[in-house]
């Protein structure tokens, strides 16, 4: 890791936390710190499960519980246990909580205005554009990837969403029964694997890898949710699966795709895949790709 880059990140963190008032116990001049304010914002009008709040904010359960007890004692939220599953707790704003959140929204607008006001129009545009880029990159760094069983609920959610999108995008529609779908066993070790990407604990993408003995490895069913695109997850999936395939001894990595998926085709070209003759009878494929992959570096 570049020491100069580390130092720049640290300076950025210090500047931001100071400028937005995150160091104060009374955030935005209210009666509570920033952690409690964020809980009010993230709870929203519909309420939210405590687990979802922890995942969204990246906070440990003990700290969240202390913040919720404080907000509950102030009459700003209620915490209810699910009737059928007592482990599930749902947070909801009270009328006072909604009023407090509205006051925080107003103060937040004022703070944002105070950041922009001293700057000229060109500087404001540069700052806002830079903030958007930082937000995108930090969000990308928040995404986790994990190999799961193909029958895992998150895997099934991604595949259902993937098939629905293909049905909408393909000229002929998409019927999974007609496609050369790998069965679940082909995407379980040692014959393969299935990776799910999560953002704040929610599944936002997937990719499978077939590892047939004595044959090239093959990427199947790579998909990224529309709301998580432009985070570089497609390229990250390719790199992850290439590393795993190389670790299993594969020296060739294959995939096929439909002509409608222009962005995917461009990604494969830019990632070093070369178009080749058809190597399967996939009825929805128009393009076939291969890439020579190197063995893992020796440590």
């Amino acid at each position: 890791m570049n020491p100069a880059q580390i130092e720049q990140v640290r300076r950025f963190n210090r500047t931001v936390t100071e400028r937005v008032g995150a160091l104060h116990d009374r955030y935005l001049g209210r009666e509570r710190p920033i952690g409690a304010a964020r809980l009010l914002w993230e709870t929203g009008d519909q309420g939210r499960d405590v687990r979802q709040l922890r995942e969204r904010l990246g906070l440990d359960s003990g700290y969240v519980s202390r913040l919720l007890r404080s907000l509950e004692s102030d009459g700003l939220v209620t915490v209810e246990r699910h009737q059928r599953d007592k482990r599930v707790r749902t947070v909801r704003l009270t009328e006072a909580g909604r009023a407090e959140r509205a006051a925080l929204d107003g103060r937040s607008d004022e703070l944002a205005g105070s950041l922009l006001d001293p700057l000229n129009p060109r500087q404001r545009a540069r700052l806002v554009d830079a903030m958007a880029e930082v937000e995108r990159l930090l969000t990308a760094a928040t995404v986790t990837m994990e190999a799961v069983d193909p029958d895992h609920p998150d895997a099934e959610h991604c595949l259902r969403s993937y098939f629905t999108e293909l049905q909408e995008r393909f000229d002929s529609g998409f019927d999974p029964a007609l496609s050369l779908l790998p069965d679940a066993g082909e995407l379980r070790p040692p014959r393969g694997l299935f990776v799910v990407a999560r953002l704040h604990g929610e599944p936002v993408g997937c990719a499978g890898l077939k590892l047939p003995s004595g044959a090239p490895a093959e990427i199947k069913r790579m998909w990224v949710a529309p709301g998580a695109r432009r985070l570089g997850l497609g390229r990250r999936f390719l790199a992850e699966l290439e590393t795993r395939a190389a670790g299993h001894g594969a020296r060739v990595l294959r995939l096929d795709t439909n002509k409608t998926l222009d962005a995917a085709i461009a990604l494969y070209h830019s990632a070093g895949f070369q178009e080749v003759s058809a190597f399967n009878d996939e009825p929805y494929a128009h393009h076939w790709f291969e890439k020579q992959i190197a063995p893992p570096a020796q440590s």
Side-chain angles (χ1 to χ4, degrees):
M1 194 72 70
N2 186 318
Q5 292 178 329
I6 294 293
E7 179 55 30
Q8 178 58 63
V9 170
R10 294 184 60 185
R11 285 200 303 270
F12 176 83
N13 290 343
R14 291 194 294 270
T15 300
V16 170
T17 53
E18 177 185 352
R19 190 65 183 85
V20 304
L23 303 177
H24 299 292
D25 290 336
R26 296 163 57 90
Y27 180 62
L28 295 176
R30 308 301 289 177
E31 298 298 322
R32 54 199 52 83
I34 189 171
R38 280 298 303 277
L39 280 177
L40 290 175
W41 272 316
E42 296 298 336
T43 296
D45 291 330
Q46 303 304 314
R48 186 168 290 197
D49 289 348
V50 173
R51 179 191 64 81
Q52 292 176 322
L53 286 171
R54 290 201 308 266
E55 293 280 1
R56 179 67 184 86
L57 298 175
L59 300 175
D60 68 72
S61 59
Y63 184 52
V64 170
S65 294
R66 291 194 295 274
L67 290 176
L68 287 176
R69 284 197 296 270
S70 174
L71 292 173
E72 199 170 18
S73 67
D74 289 343
L76 302 180
V77 303
T78 60
V79 182
E80 307 162 356
R81 293 191 179 276
H82 195 279
Q83 291 183 348
R84 292 190 297 273
D85 188 347
K86 299 301 182 183
R87 296 170 300 178
V88 177
R89 296 183 299 156
T90 301
V91 183
R92 301 187 190 282
L93 297 180
T94 63
E95 286 295 329
R98 283 189 283 272
E100 177 65 14
R101 194 183 65 172
L104 286 168
D105 280 337
R107 294 288 181 90
S108 294
D109 287 345
E110 293 173 7
L111 175 59
S114 74
L115 295 175
L116 297 172
D117 185 59
L119 306 177
N120 62 45
R122 183 179 178 184
Q123 289 175 318
R124 291 175 188 172
R126 287 176 58 197
L127 177 59
V128 170
D129 289 344
M131 286 176 166
E133 180 70 359
V134 169
E135 180 188 12
R136 184 181 69 83
L137 293 173
L138 289 178
T139 300
T142 303
V143 175
T144 62
M145 289 191 174
E146 179 188 11
V148 302
D149 190 273
D151 290 335
H152 189 284
D154 287 351
E156 293 181 340
H157 165 81
C158 288
L159 288 173
R160 283 195 304 270
S161 301
Y162 175 59
F163 297 154
T164 298
E165 182 171 347
L166 296 188
Q167 169 65 26
E168 295 170 351
R169 295 187 62 177
F170 287 1
D171 296 337
S172 59
F174 179 77
D175 183 353
L178 300 178
S179 180
L180 296 181
L181 286 170
D183 62 45
E186 292 180 281
L187 298 178
R188 291 191 181 106
R191 298 171 60 193
L193 56 91
F194 196 83
V195 177
V196 166
R198 298 186 180 94
L199 177 60
H200 304 310
E202 299 299 322
V204 294
C206 65
L209 180 67
K210 291 173 60 177
L211 295 165
S213 178
E218 187 174 351
I219 294 174
K220 303 296 293 185
R221 307 313 175 207
M222 192 173 85
W223 172 80
V224 176
R229 290 171 190 169
R230 296 190 68 253
L231 298 179
L233 297 188
R235 192 173 299 276
R236 187 170 162 190
F237 270 128
L238 292 180
E240 175 76 13
L241 297 185
E242 179 177 334
T243 298
R244 290 178 179 260
H248 282 80
R251 296 297 172 259
V252 177
L253 186 58
R254 287 176 167 176
L255 57 87
D256 60 67
T257 193
N258 186 276
K259 63 183 180 182
T260 307
L261 305 178
D262 296 332
I265 293 170
L267 171 64
Y268 302 145
H269 280 298
S270 68
F273 284 83
Q274 302 295 318
E275 195 154 358
V276 297
S277 300
F279 51 75
N280 61 26
D281 297 322
E282 171 59 60
Y284 293 105
H286 302 98
H287 300 274
W288 290 260
F289 291 89
E290 282 188 358
K291 181 178 182 180
Q292 303 295 317
I293 59 177
Q298 298 298 318
S299 58

